[in-house]
Amino acid sequence: MRTTTSLPSSVAESELFGHEAGAFTDARKQRLGKFQVADGASLFLDEIGELPLAIQAKLLRVLQSGEVQRVGSDQNIHVDVRLFAATNRDLHAEVKAGRFRADLLHRLDVCRLLVPALRDHAEDIPVLAGHFCDGIRRRLGLGPVRVAERALEALALYSWPGNVRELQNVLSRAALHASARVERGDPVLLELADLGSDFQSLSAIRPAPNLDSEPAPSAPALPPGPLRPAVEAFERRMIQAALERNGGVWARAAKELGLHRSNLHHLAQRLDLRD
């Protein structure tokens, strides 16, 4: 689930184009906008899909004419800015929905770089995890921070709706849990349990060996195919079976599966088991 908050038009306009003293309440002195500050250089606009339509029109004029007007001024100021923009929205779909201007999209869409979602390049998760763990070590003053093998497997199987930022947050939270078990400066190993309840159901894909039990019978041969759809199908069957055994009561099913109720609802929504 994604939650976004757009800047009010007045604030976004002032941030991008600047304002004159007295242009609005609390505008006590003149302020340069981001386009003027970046004159002769490059400007990166993140989440451009969140801009209000009124600001999109003014941004289009800047891109076409190379001139900005500060809020509260009639003077046109020439700027020479190379613009980079990013968004996690499908801007073509936003145009069809009337939330983004087609002419601005065409003006921006000169050279496009598509960044795949983290779930589409899960093979990079160990490298990213190592990078983030090194940053966590420096930031928190810990010893070497490493991720256990079973935890890495669960990270690779997770769908990552929040992409790389979510991975960083999960590892930071896990490091706080794991560091409480060791002395200051000792190595910190992030175990599966440190990742949180969203990852616990993924551990069923490859359970830890039990050396005290009898050898398990050989599993039947599995059909060939991508791993992720098979994992999701397994999760659906587990949830549906738990619901059937518990009369459709989600709280009881969550308890049986070892999940918090809200995490089970989140997982069920991701698997299209409920709205």
Side-chain angles (χ1 to χ4, degrees), residues 104-265:
L104 177 57
L105 175 58
H106 297 321
R107 189 76 185 186
L108 290 169
D109 199 9
V110 177
C111 180
R112 185 190 309 180
L113 295 176
L114 294 177
V115 180
L118 181 56
R119 61 181 171 271
D120 295 330
H121 57 109
E123 65 276 7
D124 293 332
I125 286 178
V127 176
L128 291 169
H131 169 72
F132 288 138
C133 285
D134 194 45
I136 292 167
R137 175 190 62 79
R138 294 194 302 269
R139 188 169 66 250
L140 299 182
L142 303 174
V145 180
R146 299 290 182 265
V147 184
E149 182 179 353
R150 292 193 70 215
L152 274 177
E153 292 170 358
L155 292 176
L157 293 171
Y158 186 61
S159 62
W160 298 111
N163 287 304
V164 175
R165 290 190 184 97
E166 186 181 7
L167 173 62
Q168 184 177 17
N169 290 337
V170 166
L171 292 172
S172 297
R173 185 171 60 247
L176 289 174
H177 285 285
S179 62
R181 299 193 296 265
V182 301
E183 296 294 330
R184 190 78 170 179
D186 286 350
V188 178
L189 183 65
L190 309 188
E191 302 284 0
L192 177 63
D194 298 317
L195 299 180
S197 57
D198 284 345
F199 297 87
Q200 302 311 306
S201 63
L202 301 179
S203 66
I205 303 303
R206 185 182 294 182
N210 186 349
L211 301 180
D212 297 328
S213 63
E214 294 294 327
S218 299
L222 296 175
L227 176 62
R228 191 166 307 282
V231 171
E232 292 180 350
F234 175 80
E235 290 177 325
R236 287 191 189 94
R237 291 197 300 271
M238 288 282 291
I239 294 173
Q240 289 168 339
L243 284 171
E244 290 176 4
R245 286 192 295 270
N246 291 279
V249 179
W250 286 86
R252 295 176 184 171
K255 184 176 181 180
E256 177 184 318
L257 293 169
L259 297 174
H260 190 278
R261 183 172 56 184
S262 62
N263 292 328
L264 177 59
H265 287 313

Side-chain angles (χ1 to χ4, degrees), residues 47-61:
E47 299 297 354
I48 196 168
E50 313 298 329
L51 282 179
L53 283 168
I55 303 302
Q56 292 178 30
K58 296 180 180 181
L59 176 59
L60 177 63
R61 287 199 295 271

